[in-house]
Amino acid sequence: MHTALQALSDPHRMAIVSMLADGERPAGDFVDALPIAQPTVSKHLSVLREAGLVTVRKDAQRRLYSLNPAPLAELDAWLARYRRFWTDRLDALEAHLDKEFPQ
Amino acid sequence: MHTALQALSDPHRMAIVSMLADGERPAGDFVDALPIAQPTVSKHLSVLREAGLVTVRKDAQRRLYSLNPAPLAELDAWLARYRRFWTDRLDALEAHLDKEFPQ
DNA sequence: CAGCAATATAGCCATATGGCAATATCAAGA
DNA sequence: TCTTGATATTGCCATATGGCTATATTGCTG
């Protein structure tokens, strides 16, 4: 099984997720957009499904994919711990002081 | 070469980055903390270095690692595009609660 | 029902990845 | 200078990964 981060670590899967930021899309859209064969795209979609990053809905022969934001929200929460490193000057000062005077 | 996301996609490397949130640490700390051999840790550190996620500083025989937040800031910026997906949901919940339990 | 369209699955291959033990490097101290 | 400690590098192995072609599946449509 892939974790959300492992799923996102492939550039083609990142591209798929990026396309989904605009909304639901059929699998064929990804086949058209990416320079890889249809079965390869299908496998990437299956990885994204297992990672919980996307959900699917049937529409006749088509499969409409949309984003499931939960894992991204988790990643965002994890990043929160580091946000102080780059946010603003006050935070930078704080980080500096933390480093200079730990505790 | 690994991208930041690829570097983060390994759980042991994630653990290393997490440990660095508290500040600079010698390589040996990671060897002690992780259930893998020293050369394996060293290889992970090299991946993190190539990805620009950490920087090193020499202190006698020791190598002191610290976090380079830039790639994390980039990841945060990328995530910004998706943030509305879960803040919207929180806003909706808030609205719902306001309606159910006014005041 | 035949055929087409959209997608998934199966089976295969080359390469990347993460792990290890052995060894090299290099600074500090005796 | 010899030894010890901390880390990196090398060489190897098993498995995971991403790619492909061929084929199966499923639902329209004529």
Side-chain angles (χ1 to χ4, degrees), chain A residues 39-51:
Chain A
T40 309
V41 172
S42 195
K43 207 191 251 182
H44 281 312
L45 288 170
S46 129
V47 169
L48 290 171
R49 263 183 275 127
E50 279 173 20

Side-chain angles (χ1 to χ4, degrees), chain B residues 10-11 15 17 23 27 33-34 39 44 46 48 51 54 58-59 72-73 75 84 88-90 96 98 100-101:
Chain B
D10 176 83
V17 169
L34 299 175
H44 280 312
S46 129
L48 289 171
V54 301
K58 290 186 189 180
D59 171 41
L72 294 179
L75 179 54
R84 63 185 167 88
D88 281 1
R89 213 173 271 184
L90 285 181
H96 173 78
D98 281 355
E100 292 297 306
F101 312 101

Side-chain angles (χ1 to χ4, degrees), chain B residues 4-76:
Chain B
L5 259 175
Q6 284 172 331
L8 286 174
S9 71
D10 176 83
H12 290 143
R13 288 195 292 264
M14 270 283 282
I16 291 174
V17 169
S18 290
M19 288 178 71
L20 287 175
D22 302 329
E24 199 176 46
R25 278 173 177 279
D29 277 18
F30 310 125
V31 176
D32 294 342
L34 299 175
I36 55 182
Q38 177 269 321
T40 310
V41 171
S42 195
K43 207 191 253 182
H44 280 312
L45 288 171
S46 129
V47 169
L48 289 171
R49 263 183 274 125
E50 281 172 19
L53 277 163
V54 301
T55 54
V56 210
R57 179 168 80 82
K58 290 186 189 180
D59 171 41
Q61 311 99 314
R62 301 193 306 165
R63 296 292 177 277
L64 298 179
Y65 282 83
S66 43
L67 199 69
N68 178 19
L72 294 179
E74 251 183 78
L75 179 54
D76 193 56

